[in-house]
Amino acid sequence: MQPKYRADIDGLRAIAVMSVLFFHSGSSIFSGGYVGVDIFFVISGYLITTIIVREIASDSFSISDFYERRFRRILPALTAVVLFSLLAGFFLLTPAYLMELGKSVIATTLFSSNFLFHSDAGYFDRAAEMKPLLHTWSLAVEEQYYIFFPLLLILIAKMDTRHYLRWLLVLGALSFISCVVVTDSNASAAFYLIPSRAWELFLGSVLALNVLARTENRWARESLAVLGLGLIVYSVTCFTDDTVFPGIAAIAPTLGSALIIYAGINGQTSVSRLLSLRPFVFVGLISYSLYLWHWPIIVYTKIYSIAEPEAVTTTVMFIATFLISVLSWRYIETPFRKRSLCGSKRSMLSASAIGSLVLVCGGLVVLLADGFPQRYSQAIPERFSSYDTDWEHWKSCEKKSRKAEQMSDLCPLGAADKTSSFILWGDSHAKALASGLDMKAKEYQVTGAIAAKAGCPPLTGIDRPGQTSCHRFNQSMLALLADAPEIHTVILAARWTLSSKGTRYKNEGGEPVSLVDLQSPDADNLSNVALIEKGLQRTMDELRKMGKEVVLVGSVPDIGHEVPSAYYVAEVSSRNLEHLISPTRKEYLQRTGEVISLLEKLEKTQSVYVVKPGPYLCNTDYCEVKAEGIPLYRDDNHLSTFGSRYIGRAYDEMFTDILLVEK
């Protein structure tokens, strides 16, 4: 039994999907458009619960019928989008990114992509623009809800239907508390995982029970509806990427949606009449296809454009998205939902199983084939190995660094079978520099070691707000060096630019960076640059007490674009990469100026030796992103193994002036 059709709910769907669409397109007006997903959750909870409760009450509910309807609603269009993403990815993604897509295809098909994208989130989380199926996390949350929710309602119904509200309120409250608590400690988990999202669906489910007092008074209904719309508009236009979300902030869009639905139960309001206008209703009808198609189209448009798409390209992208979504709704969604295709339950369930198996196999083939590096010419694939053994080696050294109790526990650099005389200490940029330093150390027959932890520059007493892991790691390194008299030189390397600026560069994904001084709480008003100087000074003072020489390695230029991906697309489309993504020398100096000034100051006042990679990567006009036809970066800011070795010349004077003298 279907609930009575409400056109205003389709209009509300339109508000939700357009908010998401404009947000993903980069509209500053829709800075909080991501809350459209929360609106969808409330609507879904309301509609599905209405159907289930009515069918349970009439003793006509069937689990198999329920899942058949879900499959008809979800799988056909989703299958088309996944196949499109795989096909486009085959032509536009590097082997490494195609393998990531293969994983997300499998996870999406199994409605577990929220777990995958949560596990990927963090310091090395690649830009969202490189994940064509990222938006399927919300489908996974809904389907996980629908797996268990009908069973819960059946169980409650067997005990006493009057207990529906009690259970939903208790479970919803627990989920909301989880959301608030987890958002503070692990925002990624709160955002992607169902325990902290279920309350939004429960909110819609409570409305569907029709146990709340009716709003017979017209002005009361009008007031509630206007308040609800206001909360949604406020969320969509005032929330930003910096809003702590979901947490408490998620109340505004979800409550706003609930108020609009609730106010319209007993009759129309001015808001429901507005949302019932044909344009809103039509967009609401195609909202599922529009949601599915918009993100892969945006992602692949940006990948192919390499640089930010121009206005004409963006306009064409919007038009194409709507046309494809309408066709998807008309010729894929509708025939399956109206049983024009796979009319029987058995045929639909069989088709669903076969389609899912095909998609999973497609994802597995991509993974087993290592992202098909043999595509296109024989020259290109060699530059895009999906598995960089050198980088993976230095990456594995982080685990050794965290557990090291003596120098021999660390990964070695340079000549073998000799006592280490230097150590490279820093964050992920130290790991990226390791290949070049290792090459030069072998050339000069010097031995060293590497100690690195991602996201942790070697700043004593300095960490990110609410964290102490970097502080603990840096303290452990100082303790390790205090017991290592054989180490004469300590080379400090980090992504100083990110720590000083605090902001990501151009199209780079990831959270902003702020710093705090754990040893001087009264230093909260200091800038990031001042805190870097303070932390560096402490580190250098400690090392000099031990009799160590200190070498600082300056920042490499930030690019702000995924260099291997951009290079790959530029090669296959015969375009000039440097003209598209290379930062100009002026941009480089603007981005790095504060760090350059700080290092020059320390070089003069502290007699610290400074290695400067910049001059080896930037000419008088722009900074290079490739050399000898090979990318110098492995992403948008870390040097590739080739790039690390390419700037190896920068260490020559350091070896001759310091390390060989000590030797």
Side-chain angles (χ1 to χ4, degrees), residues 14 18 61 141 200 212 233 241 244 262 293 336 364 366 428 464 478 501 543 552 556 563 609 625:
M18 293 306 296
F61 181 74
V141 168
E200 301 180 18
L212 301 180
V233 171
D241 289 341
V244 178
Y262 175 63
W293 284 100
F336 278 96
L364 287 173
V366 168
S428 62
R464 299 188 185 189
L478 289 173
K501 286 292 185 183
L543 293 174
L552 298 176
V556 301
V563 175
Y609 193 92
V625 293

Side-chain angles (χ1 to χ4, degrees), residues 494-514:
R495 191 182 177 188
W496 309 114
T497 304
L498 175 60
S499 295
S500 65
K501 286 292 185 183
T503 56
R504 303 286 174 171
Y505 192 54
K506 292 184 178 178
N507 291 343
E508 180 189 357
E511 298 293 327
V513 172
S514 57

Side-chain angles (χ1 to χ4, degrees), residues 9 76 89 114 118 302 313 364 374 393 397 471 584 604 634:
I9 290 183
N114 58 328
H118 162 57
K302 288 186 175 181
T313 303
L364 287 173
Q374 68 274 20
H393 169 68
C397 293
H471 173 66
T584 64
K604 292 177 182 178
R634 64 172 283 103

Side-chain angles (χ1 to χ4, degrees), residues 29-55:
I29 298 176
F30 290 79
S31 59
Y34 50 83
V35 303
V37 172
D38 303 78
I39 299 172
F40 276 129
F41 285 162
V42 176
I43 294 172
S44 295
Y46 173 73
L47 294 178
I48 293 298
T49 305
T50 299
I51 295 172
I52 295 176
V53 169
R54 287 185 180 183
E55 291 185 351

